[in-house]
């Protein structure tokens, strides 16, 4: 998929489903003073002829401190228009005693199926509002539909605010895979690996 979509979904889904409690959530959440994301790594995991491909994604510094500043750049392409409904299947795993254990879906957090990422983006950035910076400056879209073509986000600075963590999301090593689909067809796949350390 285009870099904007993958980058937006990667960061938005991390923020929306890992660090922000769902409305009406019965889970236990805790405010943390500082979160560090260490050893961020990524790779495409889609088919060789995948319609949506992330070509580059760079995040710095390492570790990424929250709250704090993040510098990011990304590029990618999609050979098809991407519109609603745009499903995302997320698989989250945590290393426990040398084994990778699948984290279940708990109130939209963990290994979950999101039937329409377009709806998620509309909730985060309601229609009628400008896309946040620096997407707005570079004329990059932040909601569906995303037209086919190549996209690029030059190196840009973001501020990451304080975040809440679910009580079960403890310090450790995590792997997250997101599969993008539409109409039962896989469009692209992205794997992210990182370690979480929180105060």
């Amino acid at each position: 998929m285009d870099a904007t979509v993958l980058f937006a979904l990667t960061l938005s889904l991390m923020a929306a489903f890992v660090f922000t409690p769902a409305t009406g959530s019965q889970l236990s959440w805790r405010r943390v003073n500082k979160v560090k994301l260490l050893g961020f790594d990524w790779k495409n995991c889609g088919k060789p002829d995948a319609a949506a491909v992330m070509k580059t994604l760079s995040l710095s510094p390492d570790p990424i401190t929250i709250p704090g500043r993040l510098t990011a750049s990304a590029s990618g392409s999609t050979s098809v228009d991407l519109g609603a409904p745009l499903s995302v299947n997320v698989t989250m795993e945590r290393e426990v005693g040398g084994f990778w254990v699948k984290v279940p879906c708990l109130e939209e957090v963990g290994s979950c199926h999101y039937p329409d990422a377009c709806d998620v983006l509309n909730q985060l950035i309601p229609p009628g509002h400008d896309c946040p910076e620096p997407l707005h400056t570079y004329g990059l879209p932040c909601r569906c539909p995303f037209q086919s073509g190549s996209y690029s986000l030059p190196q840009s600075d973001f501020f990451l605010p304080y975040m809440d963590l679910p009580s079960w999301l403890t310090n450790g090593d995590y792997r997250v895979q997101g599969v993008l689909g539409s109409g039962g067809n896989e469009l692209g796949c992205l794997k992210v690996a990182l370690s979480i350390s929180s105060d």
Side-chain angles (χ1 to χ4, degrees), residues 17 22 25 27 29 103-112 114 166 168:
F17 299 119
S25 174
L27 295 176
W29 295 78
V103 176
C105 184
L106 301 171
E107 303 252 354
E108 297 185 348
V109 179
S111 300
C112 302
Y114 305 104
W168 55 263

Side-chain angles (χ1 to χ4, degrees), residues 45 88-93 175-179 189-192:
C45 48
V88 177
N89 282 311
V90 175
T91 302
M92 179 186 289
E93 297 176 302
R175 297 191 305 202
V176 181
Q177 175 177 289
V179 178
C189 177
L190 186 70
K191 281 186 177 179
V192 173

Side-chain angles (χ1 to χ4, degrees), residues 155-169:
Q155 185 169 308
S156 304
D157 292 328
F158 299 84
F159 179 76
L160 302 174
Y162 282 99
M163 296 187 179
D164 293 334
L165 289 175
S167 58
W168 55 263
L169 190 64

